[in-house]
Amino acid sequence: MFIPIIFLVIIIINYVQSQTELILPPLPYEYNALEPILSEHLMRLHHDKHHQAYTTKANAALKSMFTDETSNNELKDLAKQPIEVILTHLQNLPEKYRLTLRNNGGGYINHKLFFSMLRKPTATATENKPTGPLFEAIENSFGSFDKFKDMFTTSSINLFGSGWIWLFIDAQTKQLSINFTVNQDNPIMFDKDHVVLLGIDLWEHAYYPVYENRRNEYVDNFWRIINWPLVESLYTQGTTKRHDL
């Protein structure tokens, strides 16, 4: 059975199957491709250890929920849905699965998006900018690309603890918005129709092996490795599928 999906965090896939097991996707580039911004050592830890751990723990919870004798047919059917769908129904999950899937299912899709939107670094951040309709939308929403960049950077540096800063299309206002989530939460957990475009991982495991406590350097260098063509495709497909945007 195939289920149409509108959630843009999985744009790199053209279809989504019913599933009872999440697959850790390989990096779309070599482990050393992001050096010197992110080292090969860091990327191996981040992808092979952390992303794998989220995948393994989410799979264990999904399997348990599906095979649990106390689970009704509705819950078992939900356990077979794409993780993006499951995370929009957290309130329907039994408490013993809710937090595990929120943290680890969220960690799975957040990292799947994050790794796909990175690319070989440009020499400077000014060389790496979006183009076309996305650039125009950013300028219209924030006044200029530089103002958007400053707002996103400031929010990232000042976020307390572990979490993410996101650029997304707000389902209610229909405007581009910058906001944060804590831990491994994602904007679709709060509104399934939010269209996620860009996110920066601000957990220490995402930067500490290279930058230690210098988060500001990590954030500044992040602008050199954003895969803007991927972000632009998220925006284009999001606005195409969402005719109200």
Side-chain angles (χ1 to χ4, degrees):
M1 180 177 69
F2 291 85
I3 301 172
I5 299 299
I6 62 172
F7 305 123
L8 274 297
V9 293
I10 52 169
I11 195 65
I12 57 175
I13 312 175
N14 293 323
Y15 63 89
V16 180
Q17 291 179 299
S18 295
Q19 61 191 23
T20 54
E21 183 177 5
L22 304 175
I23 303 300
L24 178 70
L27 290 178
Y29 36 74
E30 298 298 324
Y31 286 98
N32 63 357
L34 306 181
E35 291 185 341
I37 308 303
L38 299 176
S39 69
E40 177 177 349
H41 172 65
L42 182 151
M43 294 303 293
R44 289 188 181 277
L45 286 174
H46 200 175
H47 177 268
D48 295 1
K49 302 299 183 181
H50 291 278
H51 198 184
Q52 179 64 73
Y54 293 126
T55 305
T56 301
K57 292 177 182 178
N59 277 331
L62 291 171
K63 182 178 179 180
S64 180
M65 188 166 72
F66 185 75
T67 58
D68 191 335
E69 293 182 354
T70 65
S71 294
N72 57 31
N73 289 335
E74 182 179 354
L75 190 60
K76 290 185 177 183
D77 287 341
L78 181 60
K80 294 190 295 182
Q81 300 303 312
I83 191 64
E84 293 80 7
V85 174
I86 294 171
L87 293 179
T88 65
H89 291 83
L90 288 171
Q91 71 279 6
N92 298 329
L93 300 183
E95 186 175 353
K96 60 183 175 180
Y97 300 120
R98 188 182 305 139
L99 185 59
T100 297
L101 285 172
R102 180 174 189 165
N103 290 338
N104 293 287
Y108 175 81
I109 63 169
N110 289 350
H111 285 81
K112 188 175 180 180
L113 171 64
F114 182 68
F115 291 134
S116 71
M117 69 177 202
L118 303 181
R119 49 150 289 170
K120 181 179 179 180
T122 54
T124 65
T126 56
E127 298 174 48
N128 195 32
K129 291 183 178 181
T131 59
L134 175 59
F135 182 81
E136 294 175 5
I138 290 174
E139 295 252 307
N140 290 336
S141 297
F142 300 102
S144 70
F145 179 79
D146 287 339
K147 289 181 180 179
F148 154 72
K149 181 179 174 182
D150 287 343
M151 187 181 301
F152 193 97
T153 296
T154 299
S155 298
S156 300
I157 292 172
N158 291 336
L159 178 70
F160 182 79
S162 299
W164 297 73
I165 298 296
W166 303 98
L167 171 69
F168 62 98
I169 304 175
D170 187 284
Q172 303 304 315
T173 67
K174 320 303 180 190
Q175 300 296 314
L176 291 183
S177 179
I178 294 172
N179 213 327
F180 74 96
T181 58
V182 297
N183 299 323
Q184 293 296 348
D185 284 357
N186 182 292
I188 67 167
M189 293 180 182
F190 307 100
D191 191 318
K192 65 182 178 61
D193 292 325
H194 284 334
V195 179
V196 178
L197 303 178
L198 179 68
I200 181 171
D201 188 347
L202 296 170
W203 283 63
E204 288 187 348
H205 66 239
Y207 63 90
Y208 218 83
V210 174
Y211 298 95
E212 297 181 332
N213 64 331
R214 304 185 306 278
R215 180 191 281 187
N216 61 312
E217 291 183 25
Y218 163 63
V219 175
D220 287 342
N221 283 326
F222 175 73
W223 297 97
R224 295 172 54 191
I225 57 174
I226 297 174
N227 182 0
W228 283 113
L230 184 279
V231 180
E232 290 167 7
S233 72
L234 293 174
Y235 177 77
T236 298
Q237 294 196 31
T239 53
T240 299
K241 292 181 178 181
R242 292 283 309 283
H243 299 293
D244 59 326
L245 297 177

